[in-house]
Amino acid sequence: MQHKHDISSTQLGMMITMIVLGTTILFVPGLSIHLGGRDAWLAPLASGLVGLFIVMTLLKLSKWFPGQTPIQYFQVLFGKWLGLAIGLYLISVLLRQFATMIRELTDFTTTVTLTRTPPEYILILMLAVVYYGVRQGLEVVARVTQLVVIIELIQLVFSVVSLSTKDIDLDHLTPLFENGPLPFLRSSMFIVSWFGELLIVGFLLPSVRLKQGAKKAGIYGIGAVTVLLILANVYTLGVFGEVIASRLQYGLYEVARYISIANFLERLDPIVMGVWILLIYCKLAIFCYAVSIAVSQLFSLPDYRSVVGLVCLVGAVMSEHMYRHQADMMHFLEVIYPPYALLMALVGLPFLLFLGFLRKGKRKEAPSRA
């Protein structure tokens, strides 16, 4: 009998796409162009390789520790008490990202569209829906994610096609590396911070029904989000050029406002806003599920559902008090978090892989010594 927390490898691929795409699609184009200039449209390629490394590493660890999440195999690799401490630290990191996503949602909606709506109303409504969805199980979240990813694909492709005939100037994309590789590296490192959020895939893998397809799903998921981010950067740069695009905080939203088809179909920004709210809902639900599972396993609780409400409440409080204002949050996303995410991906995960390899070797040696 299948349970509501079981997901297919296809759904895993969609969720991997959503984990990165949920917040990047609005924020990345403007901020990455600010850091990388014309080279920013290529930056998702390098970041995607880091994301692929993260997912492949988590898949390998999941194979070595079947049915276990990072919280569980941390205690195997580091011992009970150090494993608990590291698990608690990981939960704090995931909670901070969860709270940051909530703040991104409330700041965007209250400064760009619903300017007279108190942010508390938006926060309560969104978290109520997240709470309900996560309580229903991971499969419910996965099914909603599948639908929303398809909607986003249709919306993004339609936007590109509608703009490509007259509004996109591909000359804005060249020359490449005019100022050397540094702008490209800065932009790539910035985008890596979102791919670093793929660490939560470790909490989804135990629920995948057919493990054989997980690797292919990971490759397709990373490939899809990389292509979508390249498209988003290409048509933000192509429409506005480097100078204007680098000043846009919500590049994709501004592009949607620019679309005009036969002077009849115009101002598509409400559609973009609606789709993005669906994206952020799915990402919040995935993170809420992962944090709830982590907390329940760390404290040996029988059911993750008992802490879903607490996770939502803590995330809401943190989102209000972590950042003094929007500029403070953007400074964290642009300057502080990217080096940390890169360190976790390129140093922390290989270290876990090394420890897991040693542990696997000990398991093989044990029978021969008996």
Side-chain angles (χ1 to χ4, degrees):
M1 183 178 68
Q2 294 181 359
H3 299 283
K4 289 185 178 181
H5 60 265
D6 291 338
I7 60 174
S8 67
S9 55
T10 301
Q11 290 171 330
L12 174 67
M14 292 286 195
M15 295 178 87
I16 287 172
T17 301
M18 181 62 67
I19 290 166
V20 183
L21 192 68
T23 45
T24 54
I25 201 67
L26 266 185
F27 288 93
V28 160
L31 293 173
S32 63
I33 292 168
H34 171 70
L35 292 170
R38 296 175 183 176
D39 302 332
W41 69 274
L42 272 177
L45 281 176
S47 305
L49 291 175
V50 176
L52 187 61
F53 172 75
I54 293 172
V55 172
M56 292 301 109
T57 301
L58 291 171
L59 281 168
K60 180 62 71 174
L61 288 167
S62 179
K63 184 178 180 181
W64 288 344
F65 302 98
Q68 296 186 18
T69 70
I71 294 295
Q72 293 169 318
Y73 57 69
F74 281 169
Q75 296 182 43
V76 177
L77 294 174
F78 298 102
K80 181 179 179 181
W81 297 110
L82 182 57
L84 285 172
I86 296 174
L88 190 60
Y89 174 70
L90 177 60
I91 290 172
S92 70
V93 172
L94 295 180
L95 262 177
R96 178 168 189 131
Q97 291 306 108
F98 180 63
T100 300
M101 284 183 274
I102 296 171
R103 184 62 178 265
E104 288 169 348
L105 170 69
T106 55
D107 280 355
F108 172 73
T109 51
T110 55
T111 59
V112 175
T113 53
L114 306 176
T115 54
R116 296 185 179 182
T117 304
E120 292 80 11
Y121 291 0
I122 297 167
L123 183 149
I124 291 171
L125 286 172
M126 178 59 80
L127 288 183
V129 183
V130 168
Y131 171 80
Y132 176 78
V134 174
R135 293 263 311 175
Q136 299 308 302
L138 184 60
E139 186 179 4
V140 173
V141 176
R143 289 182 181 276
V144 175
T145 298
Q146 276 185 294
L147 178 62
V148 173
V149 168
I150 293 171
I151 292 173
E152 171 60 15
L153 282 170
I154 294 171
Q155 181 259 317
L156 196 59
V157 170
F158 171 78
S159 299
V160 171
V161 171
S162 64
L163 286 168
S164 60
T165 54
K166 60 185 179 66
D167 296 314
I168 294 182
D169 185 357
L170 296 181
D171 290 338
H172 290 158
L173 309 181
T174 56
L176 288 174
F177 305 112
E178 183 180 22
N179 300 312
L182 192 59
F184 171 79
L185 292 174
R186 280 201 307 261
S187 185
S188 299
M189 187 175 174
F190 167 67
I191 301 175
V192 160
S193 61
W194 270 277
F195 279 93
E197 294 176 345
L198 288 166
L199 286 170
I200 69 168
V201 170
F203 294 94
L204 308 179
L205 290 175
S207 299
V208 179
R209 287 192 289 269
L210 299 176
K211 309 296 182 185
Q212 304 94 306
K215 184 176 181 180
K216 188 180 292 186
I219 294 172
Y220 287 162
I222 296 296
V225 75
T226 300
V227 170
L228 289 172
L229 289 178
I230 289 174
L231 279 176
N233 280 0
V234 162
Y235 82 83
T236 302
L237 262 175
V239 169
F240 293 111
E242 178 184 350
V243 176
I244 297 177
S246 65
R247 298 173 183 171
L248 300 176
Q249 186 170 342
Y250 307 111
L252 201 64
Y253 180 78
E254 296 298 334
V255 170
R257 298 177 67 182
Y258 193 77
I259 294 176
S260 176
I261 301 176
N263 294 321
F264 171 73
L265 193 60
E266 298 180 332
R267 293 303 301 267
L268 300 181
D269 40 303
I271 297 176
V272 172
M273 177 190 171
V275 173
W276 185 74
I277 288 176
L278 290 175
L279 289 170
I280 193 68
Y281 162 74
C282 292
K283 186 168 180 176
L284 283 170
I286 295 169
F287 262 78
C288 183
Y289 172 83
V291 175
S292 300
I293 286 287
V295 171
S296 65
Q297 291 178 345
L298 189 73
F299 296 102
S300 301
L301 301 177
D303 189 358
Y304 80 93
R305 292 173 178 84
S306 61
V307 296
V308 173
L310 179 63
V311 169
C312 290
L313 179 61
V314 172
V317 173
M318 288 178 66
S319 71
E320 289 294 311
H321 297 285
M322 277 195 316
Y323 308 108
R324 292 168 296 174
H325 40 67
Q326 191 176 32
D328 193 24
M329 181 184 70
M330 300 313 295
H331 175 76
F332 170 78
L333 293 175
E334 189 174 339
V335 178
I336 298 174
Y337 186 62
Y340 170 79
L342 197 62
L343 187 68
M344 288 274 288
L346 300 184
V347 177
L349 279 178
F351 181 63
L352 285 178
L353 203 61
F354 175 69
L355 290 179
F357 177 77
L358 293 180
R359 185 77 181 182
K360 182 189 174 200
K362 288 181 180 179
R363 286 178 178 175
K364 286 184 176 180
E365 289 176 8
S368 63
R369 290 178 180 176

